[in-house]
């Protein structure tokens, strides 16, 4: 029996953990947000501390290593290795206690900082260190890397906020560490001896710069009240695996304000930081011209750049805390006056409201992904991105490293924490080549020399991992490095815990660079990927940052929000295709059940295209995946039924009453189960009269003047003609003569969602030929189904890349709510709006295009409240299928259904997409109204 098989069986029999040793699991855990790729032997998802301890014991019996993993957001490869990956994030994510009186929180290592702060915030508290990845970074990972963030000048590093810990040693022993000591007598004695032997050395030779995540935290040996728990900070899981952490909390600031400084010279901006710090801000963050330029090109983040005027080379966002808004305003304005008196030449602006500040912080915290959004081979890579030096030396260091770049012919992006002397400087290097890999090492060696010259360290918060551990002996010197190796031996004599990190780097990191070895010919695409430079660059744009693991916020990624499983993240799907391109698996792996499990729960919501800072289009990747499978295996009857919904509906609508009775009877008898339909579902009822019949029979001449085309989609035509009638009435109220084209066909969305690309392309060609003459004359085309509209504005580019008519149609195609919003003032004058709150739910495809149903309703004069929900969970045919029903329900239960239930029975629920309306009706019992119908019914007749 192979070792991995025997090991997996032993783990499954002796723990309550999930044990995953399949090829797909190893692929998905082979990467994080770093430059590296190392496939683990297998993955364990523990449910309890005892599971962790037993896993470590079993690993010892089999002679394999163990490496802990949280959100997998590390930039240095800390959680990568060829042993057992222990993922704490799925089950060990609890918050045991929040003690408001003593301002502490006791948590499991897998809880995200975002969730901890949400719970602590209810008591006016928060965890001070705030890494940019806080939404998805776990407490265990942040402590293990000694992470921090923008406010480190106030709150210090994660280790400074660690009070105590429970952990598992390499032998499987469970211990407690705190200021009271260590619960293990042997370890306690060894640490006391180690402290006595090395205290003088540490006092003499350990780096003085406080913003440090490099090496072990030997500085705590100098504390009068020595707390051995603090040794776990920056240890990267090489000393012990934490199972519980007690963290210090701080008061949430009452109010904040930002002064935004724009400089036409990067170095002048950095030189001003010491002067800025004299005014005691809470944070000083840098955003450079490269990041601003990439943000402007990003569909989801570009709207956040309202705080930037012109083309500055650098922006400094300077934050102040205060007790009141007025207090904050005075601080910010007083600071601006101070800079003027001191002769600092820059443009000064303010972000005083919460929404204005959210724009600035949104761009700043998305910096990593935005910088990596380029599809070119040379990317702003992490390697020296975390060098930290005293603020007094920051400008000198930046000038020196810039000269290094110039000598090598490199450019770089600059952003991050100017207040603490930690700038994330990223040179653009192509790591897919040997020359690029060698250049990365050359740059790293040069940066190390400059860090030593300026009294700094190689990492200010991101850690060592595979990226920088090899540099630590030179960084710290032989004596301190020797002491670090001794500490590792005390905790882990056999070197079984996350080997090769911090000390004793055991492999050439260049051997595992994930950018190297891709062969685009291994996967011949069906869709057009030329806008990304090819399918391979689009996949490579997924840098593993893991924002798709966020929960309770936005729409990406709905399947992860429902399952909390790495296999159902956006990055998992990119990683699967990456494995094909890199030859880790053959092309046939796409046809495996394992691959289907990864892509099956992608609902094609398109949120990744706008919410992922790197704008990775995984919805398109799913279509590619399904098309590849369809070429080999064909399509199921269920696929064909959903894909040809328009044709099927057209036939059935000839006798709608009989068709409805037949559908209900089939569902009641369980016959729809033969198609894989969930027994709880009923198909929507066909309307008694088609929309097109109503339109042609009106006999009413529209007022002459501007013209518009209404695209009557499948759902408006056969199932909800009231939406179509409402759209026509609204457009006519706005003064448009409305045309309806009978020559149009289904937009192709149902076909695309099943991978039937050829059929969708054929429909696209027909629709473009029909609608292009209108678009060419500047006549707007309006739709009431967002998923249909997005086919024209987005997907048709992948089907008809060379079509000029397609471009014209895409420019002139709008959702009704999108079209109405800029004309709201004119329309609202013709409305009689009844009192009462309207609960608005924006369709995923509308949201991805930047639309907000609630904003349009508000502009029209309705009293609306947004559900704040992501995907409703129906997603066309997805929610109908038996195998996905439970996940569909979880998606609906995330925020959508609770928001409707909270609003109460009297509230009206407004939506647009047929999927959303069916899901709302099914799970909440509410009867939603389409936006078109809601507004049209308010028009004064």
């Amino acid at each position: 029996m192979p070792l991995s098989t025997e090991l997996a069986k032993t783990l499954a029999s002796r723990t309550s953990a999930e044990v995953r040793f399949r090829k797909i699991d190893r692929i998905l855990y082979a990467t994080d947000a770093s430059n590296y790729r190392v496939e683990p032997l297998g993955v364990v998802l523990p449910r309890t501390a005892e599971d962790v301890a037993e896993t470590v014991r079993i690993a010892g019996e089999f002679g394999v290593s163990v490496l802990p993993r949280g959100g997998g957001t590390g930039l240095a490869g800390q959680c990568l290795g060829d042993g057992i990956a222990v993922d704490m994030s799925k089950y060990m994510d609890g918050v045991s206690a929040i003690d408001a009186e003593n301002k502490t929180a006791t948590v499991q290592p897998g809880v995200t900082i975002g969730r901890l702060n949400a719970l602590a915030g209810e008591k006016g508290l928060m965890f001070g260190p705030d890494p940019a990845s806080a939404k998805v970074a776990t407490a265990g990972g942040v402590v293990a890397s000694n992470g921090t963030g923008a406010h480190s000048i106030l709150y210090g590093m994660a280790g400074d906020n660690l009070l105590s810990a429970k952990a598992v040693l390499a032998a499987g022993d469970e211990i407690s560490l705190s200021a009271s000591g260590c619960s293990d007598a042997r370890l306690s004695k060894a640490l006391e001896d180690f402290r006595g032997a090395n205290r003088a050395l540490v006092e003499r030779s350990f780096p003085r710069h406080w913003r440090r995540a490099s090496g072990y935290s030997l500085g705590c040996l100098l504390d009068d009240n020595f707390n051995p728990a603090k040794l776990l900070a920056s240890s990267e899981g090489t000393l012990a695996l934490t199972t519980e952490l007690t963290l210090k909390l701080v008061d949430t600031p009452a109010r904040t304000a930002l002064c935004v400084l724009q400089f036409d010279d990067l170095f002048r901006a950095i030189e001003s930081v010491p002067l800025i710090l004299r005014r005691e801000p809470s944070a000083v963050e840098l955003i450079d011209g490269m990041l601003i330029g990439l943000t402007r090109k990003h569909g989801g983040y570009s709207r956040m750049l309202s705080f930037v005027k012109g083309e500055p080379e650098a922006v400094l966002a300077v934050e102040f805390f205060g007790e009141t808004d007025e207090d904050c305003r005075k601080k910010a304005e007083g600071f601006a006056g101070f800079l003027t008196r001191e002769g600092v030449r820059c443009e000064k602006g303010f972000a005083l409201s919460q929404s204005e500040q959210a724009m600035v912080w949104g761009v700043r915290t998305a910096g990593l992904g935005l910088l990596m959004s380029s599809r070119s081979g040379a990317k702003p890579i992490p390697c020296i991105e975390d060098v930290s030096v005293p603020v007094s030396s920051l400008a000198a260091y930046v000038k020196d490293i810039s000269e290094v770049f110039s000598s090598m012919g490199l450019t770089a992006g600059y952003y991050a924490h100017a207040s603490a002397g930690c700038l994330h400087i990223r040179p653009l290097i192509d790591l897919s080549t040997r020359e690029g890999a060698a250049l990365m090492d050359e740059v790293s060696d040069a940066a190390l020399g400059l860090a030593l010259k300026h009294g700094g360290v190689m990492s200010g918060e991101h850690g060592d991992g595979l990226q920088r551990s090899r540099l630590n002996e030179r960084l710290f010197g032989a004596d301190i490095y020797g002491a670090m190796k001794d500490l590792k031996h005390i905790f882990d004599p056999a070197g079984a815990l996350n080997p090769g990190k911090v000390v004793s780097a055991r492999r050439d990191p260049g051997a595992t660079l994930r950018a190297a070895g891709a062969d685009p010919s291994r996967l011949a695409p069906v869709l057009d990927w030329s806008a990304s430079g090819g399918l391979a660059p689009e996949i490579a744009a997924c840098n593993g940052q893991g924002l798709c693991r966020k929960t309770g916020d936005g729409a990406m990624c709905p399947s992860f929000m429902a399952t909390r499983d790495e296999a159902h993240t956006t990055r998992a799907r990119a990683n699967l295709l990456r494995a094909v391109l890199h030859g880790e698996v053959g092309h046939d792996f796409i046809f495996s059940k394992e691959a289907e499990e990864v892509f099956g729960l992608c609902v094609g919501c398109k949120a990744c295209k706008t919410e992922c800072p790197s704008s990775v289009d995984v919805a398109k990747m799913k279509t590619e995946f399904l098309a590849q499978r369809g070429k080999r295996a064909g399509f199921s009857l269920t696929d064909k039924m959903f894909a040809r919904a328009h044709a099927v509906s057209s036939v059935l609508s000839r006798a709608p009453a009989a068709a409805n009775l037949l559908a209900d009877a089939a569902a009641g008898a369980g016959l729809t189960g033969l198609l894989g339909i969930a027994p709880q579902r009923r198909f929507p009822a066909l309307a008694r009269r088609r929309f097109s019949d109503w339109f042609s029979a009106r006999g009413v001449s529209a007022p002459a003047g501007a013209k518009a085309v209404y695209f009557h989609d499948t759902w408006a035509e056969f199932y909800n003609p009231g939406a179509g009638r409402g759209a026509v009435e609204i457009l006519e109220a706005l003064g448009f003569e409305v045309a309806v084209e009978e020559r149009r066909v289904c937009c192709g969305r149902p076909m695309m969602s099943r991978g039937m690309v050829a059929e969708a392309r054929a429909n696209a060609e027909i629709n473009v030929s029909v609608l292009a003459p209108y678009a060419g004359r500047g006549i707007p085309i309006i739709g009431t189904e967002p998923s249909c509209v997005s086919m024209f504005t987005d997907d048709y580019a992948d089907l008809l890349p060379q079509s000029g008519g397609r471009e014209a149609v895409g420019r002139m195609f709008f959702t009704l709510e999108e079209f109405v919003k800029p004309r709201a003032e004119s329309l609202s004058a013709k409305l009689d709006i009844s009192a009462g709150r309207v609960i608005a739910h924006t369709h995923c495809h509308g949201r991805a295009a930047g639309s907000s149903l609630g904003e349009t309703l508000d502009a029209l004069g309705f009293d609306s409240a947004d559900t704040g929900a992501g995907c409703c969970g129906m997603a066309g045919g997805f929610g109908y299928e038996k195998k996905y029903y439970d996940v569909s329900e979880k998606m609906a239960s995330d925020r959508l259904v609770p928001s409707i239930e909270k609003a109460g029975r009297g509230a009206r629920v407004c939506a647009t997409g047929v999927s959303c309306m069916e899901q709302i009706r099914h799970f909440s019992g509410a009867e939603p109204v389409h936006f078109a119908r809601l507004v049209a019914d308010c028009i004064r007749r």
Side-chain angles (χ1 to χ4, degrees):
M1 182 184 295
L3 179 144
S4 61
T5 303
E6 186 178 354
L7 176 57
K9 287 185 175 180
T10 304
L11 287 164
S13 66
R14 288 169 50 181
T15 73
S16 63
E18 277 191 49
V19 179
R20 302 180 178 181
F21 274 58
R22 300 178 306 167
K23 181 63 176 178
I24 189 64
D25 303 312
R26 300 197 299 275
I27 288 172
L28 300 187
Y29 283 83
T31 59
D32 56 4
S34 72
N35 298 319
Y36 303 104
R37 182 181 73 246
V38 185
E39 194 171 291
L41 185 62
V43 183
V44 170
L45 292 86
R47 289 181 166 86
T48 65
E50 176 55 32
D51 281 344
V52 178
E54 190 64 14
T55 297
V56 173
R57 293 184 200 114
I58 293 169
E61 295 169 13
F62 281 79
V64 300
S65 60
V66 176
L67 43 141
R69 181 180 176 113
T73 62
L75 293 167
Q78 296 98 316
C79 64
L80 303 183
D82 55 10
I84 301 172
V86 181
D87 181 354
M88 307 280 196
S89 67
K90 185 171 183 179
Y91 298 115
M92 296 191 66
D93 64 341
V95 176
S96 304
I98 294 178
D99 184 340
E101 182 178 353
N102 293 305
K103 296 183 180 179
T104 66
T106 300
V107 304
Q108 291 182 302
V111 69
T112 63
I113 299 300
R115 181 162 176 262
L116 168 60
N117 281 339
L119 294 174
E122 296 173 2
K123 300 185 179 183
L125 300 170
M126 67 180 189
F127 183 59
D130 55 343
S133 57
K135 287 182 180 179
V136 293
T138 62
V142 170
V143 168
S145 294
N146 205 15
T148 185
H151 297 94
S152 64
I153 55 175
L154 294 182
Y155 307 125
M157 312 288 290
D160 299 319
N161 295 270
L162 176 62
L163 301 176
S164 65
K166 292 181 180 179
V168 174
L169 296 176
D173 301 322
E174 297 183 62
I175 63 167
S176 298
L177 300 167
S178 68
S180 300
C182 173
S183 63
D184 183 274
R186 180 204 63 81
L187 180 59
S188 181
K189 175 65 166 58
L191 291 178
E192 281 302 320
D193 291 345
F194 176 79
R195 185 183 182 216
N198 291 283
R199 188 167 184 174
L201 170 65
V202 171
E203 190 166 17
R204 180 176 66 251
S205 302
F206 199 69
R208 296 289 183 267
H209 184 44
W210 63 272
R211 175 92 184 212
R212 180 208 55 79
S214 296
Y216 290 128
S217 296
L218 299 187
C220 71
L221 300 178
L222 303 180
D223 296 341
D224 292 334
N225 187 18
F226 169 58
N227 183 349
K230 292 186 180 296
L231 290 171
L232 299 181
S234 80
S235 70
E236 302 185 2
T238 62
L239 303 181
L241 275 66
T242 57
T243 57
E244 184 179 274
L245 301 162
T246 299
L247 306 170
K248 181 170 65 177
L249 301 178
V250 298
D251 292 324
T252 303
R255 296 288 187 273
T256 59
L258 289 173
C259 184
V260 180
L261 311 177
Q262 295 192 176
F263 293 82
D264 56 14
D265 183 87
L266 172 68
F267 298 120
R268 197 165 75 247
I270 295 170
E271 287 172 341
S272 70
V273 174
L275 179 66
I276 290 171
L277 290 176
R278 284 167 49 185
R279 300 293 288 200
E280 299 183 339
S282 54
V284 183
E285 296 290 290
L286 173 73
I287 303 171
D288 82 336
M290 180 184 293
L291 180 52
I292 291 169
L294 289 169
T295 306
R296 282 203 170 109
K297 297 177 182 178
H298 192 291
Y301 285 83
S302 59
R303 64 181 68 96
M304 293 184 178
L305 275 180
S306 57
F307 64 92
V308 175
K309 312 300 180 188
E311 303 288 338
E313 192 169 293
V315 170
L316 289 178
V318 184
E319 184 188 62
F320 294 93
F321 287 175
E323 291 302 314
T324 65
D325 291 335
E326 181 65 13
D327 181 28
C328 290
R329 184 186 63 78
K330 287 182 177 179
K331 286 184 179 181
E333 292 177 349
F335 166 71
F338 164 76
L339 291 182
T340 299
R341 292 191 298 275
E342 292 292 331
V344 176
R345 300 195 312 277
C346 64
E347 173 135 357
K348 306 170 187 72
F350 303 98
L352 302 179
S353 70
Q354 288 187 353
S355 60
E356 290 171 336
Q357 293 176 62
M359 297 286 192
V360 182
W361 285 113
V363 173
R364 165 57 199 93
T365 56
L368 161 63
L370 289 165
L371 282 174
M372 295 297 286
S373 63
S374 168
R375 269 48 175 179
S376 63
K379 295 181 181 294
I381 64 165
C383 62
I384 64 163
E385 87 294 347
D386 207 35
V387 171
S388 180
V389 299
V391 174
S392 58
S393 300
L394 183 60
Y397 168 74
V398 171
K399 287 182 178 179
D400 284 349
I401 196 65
S402 298
E403 289 177 3
V404 169
F405 295 152
S406 179
S407 69
M408 296 180 178
L410 297 174
T411 56
Y414 299 73
Y415 71 108
H417 318 298
S419 58
C422 181
L423 287 188
H424 298 333
I425 303 176
R426 288 171 164 251
L428 274 69
I429 298 176
D430 185 353
L431 292 182
S432 67
T433 66
R434 289 186 178 181
E435 295 78 10
L439 190 57
M440 178 179 70
D441 288 345
E442 189 178 347
V443 169
S444 298
D445 291 340
L448 172 60
L450 294 178
L452 291 170
K453 172 184 175 181
H454 294 291
V457 292
M458 286 300 289
S459 174
E461 63 179 345
H462 292 166
D464 297 324
L466 293 172
Q467 186 75 62
R468 287 178 279 269
S469 292
R470 71 178 184 86
L471 303 173
N472 277 343
E473 185 168 10
R474 291 161 57 198
L475 175 65
F476 292 102
D479 292 340
I480 290 290
Y481 188 73
M484 289 182 178
K485 293 180 71 176
D486 291 342
L487 181 66
K488 166 71 171 174
H489 185 77
I490 289 171
F491 275 91
D492 180 20
L497 302 182
N498 208 6
K501 316 295 168 35
V502 187
V503 296
S504 304
R506 64 176 183 168
R507 59 160 59 92
D508 172 17
T512 56
L513 289 174
R514 69 175 182 175
D519 182 356
S521 68
R522 293 189 177 116
L523 186 59
V526 173
L527 294 169
D528 182 79
W529 293 88
S530 57
S532 302
L535 176 57
E538 182 70 18
I539 293 169
C542 177
N543 56 77
Q545 182 184 10
L547 193 61
C548 47
R549 290 174 57 95
K550 62 185 172 63
T551 57
D553 175 51
M556 180 187 72
C557 175
S559 54
F560 177 79
M561 291 183 190
T563 68
R564 300 291 306 282
D565 198 306
E566 175 67 26
H568 302 140
T569 60
T570 304
R571 73 178 177 187
R573 291 146 195 154
N575 278 335
L576 189 157
L577 296 180
R578 190 197 313 272
V580 175
L581 293 182
H582 282 264
E584 297 173 52
V585 292
H587 180 269
D588 285 355
F589 191 74
I590 289 178
F591 310 110
S592 68
K593 182 179 179 182
E594 298 173 15
E596 183 180 1
E597 289 173 6
V598 171
F599 267 106
L601 292 191
C602 173
V603 294
C605 67
K606 296 180 177 281
C608 49
K609 195 169 183 179
T610 50
E611 290 186 24
C612 170
S614 298
S615 196
V616 181
D617 193 348
V618 173
K620 183 178 175 181
M621 289 182 193
K622 181 179 182 180
T623 300
E624 183 70 55
F625 167 81
L626 293 174
Q628 295 281 342
R629 289 175 64 90
K631 280 199 306 182
R632 168 73 67 87
F635 297 97
S636 69
L637 180 60
T638 304
D639 288 332
K640 293 174 182 177
M641 180 191 71
F642 281 115
R644 291 159 188 164
H646 187 92
V648 172
S649 300
S650 180
V651 172
L652 295 177
S653 68
R654 295 170 186 170
N660 291 335
L661 285 173
L662 183 62
D664 286 343
L671 297 179
T672 54
L674 299 175
L675 293 171
I677 305 302
Q680 300 93 328
R681 295 288 192 185
R682 294 292 185 272
F683 288 118
L686 287 157
R688 288 180 297 175
R689 189 185 192 191
R690 296 183 182 190
F691 163 80
S692 56
D693 292 339
W694 168 84
F695 188 83
S696 61
R698 292 173 73 207
V700 177
S701 298
K707 289 182 170 60
V709 175
Y710 172 60
F711 184 86
H712 55 307
D713 59 85
T714 300
W715 317 111
E717 171 71 350
F718 301 116
Y719 297 94
N720 188 13
R725 294 196 302 269
V728 172
E729 291 162 11
I730 290 168
L731 293 171
E732 289 178 340
L734 286 169
F736 289 88
E737 181 181 347
V738 180
V740 170
E741 264 292 350
E742 287 297 333
R743 294 174 298 164
R744 66 90 183 87
V745 293
C746 171
C747 67
R749 169 66 62 209
M751 300 163 188
M752 285 286 278
S753 70
R754 297 285 158 169
M756 298 181 183
V757 173
E759 291 91 334
R761 182 177 289 117
N763 278 26
E765 289 173 343
I766 293 171
N767 283 330
V768 167
S769 68
V770 168
L771 298 174
Y774 293 100
R777 301 199 303 273
I779 295 175
I781 307 160
I782 317 300
T784 47
E785 174 59 45
S787 64
C788 290
V789 175
S790 71
M791 281 295 294
F792 290 89
T793 59
D794 187 12
D795 300 84
Y796 276 16
D798 304 322
L799 298 172
L800 307 172
Q802 306 303 320
S803 169
R806 183 269 306 167
E807 292 183 11
V809 170
R811 284 194 302 270
M812 295 305 297
F813 217 119
F814 307 91
T815 62
L816 179 64
E817 60 270 27
E818 178 186 16
F819 189 74
V820 164
K821 186 178 178 182
R823 300 165 177 83
E825 184 175 354
S826 172
L827 182 59
S828 64
K830 302 176 181 180
L831 302 180
D832 283 330
I833 297 175
S834 59
R837 175 63 59 94
V838 177
I839 307 302
H841 178 66
T842 303
H843 189 286
C844 287
H845 291 175
R847 182 196 295 267
S851 177
S852 168
L853 183 58
E855 288 181 3
T856 302
L857 288 171
D858 288 342
L860 288 170
F862 288 88
D863 176 19
S864 79
D866 198 282
T867 63
C871 179
C872 71
M874 180 60 91
F878 175 87
Y880 281 101
E881 296 193 55
K882 181 178 180 180
K883 60 184 176 181
Y884 299 134
Y885 181 82
D886 290 344
V887 174
S888 175
E889 182 176 17
K890 287 181 180 178
M891 291 180 186
S893 301
D894 176 44
R895 280 162 286 162
L896 176 58
V897 172
S899 69
I900 293 171
E901 292 175 344
K902 183 179 179 181
R905 297 177 64 88
R908 292 170 293 176
V909 181
C910 180
T912 49
V914 64
S915 291
C916 304
M917 297 179 73
E918 282 296 315
Q919 190 79 325
I920 290 167
R921 190 177 291 117
H922 183 74
F923 283 118
S924 77
E927 186 57 43
V929 59
H930 194 285
F931 168 79
R933 195 67 264 156
L934 174 70
V935 177
D937 285 346
C938 295
I939 297 173
R940 288 195 295 272
R941 306 299 175 183

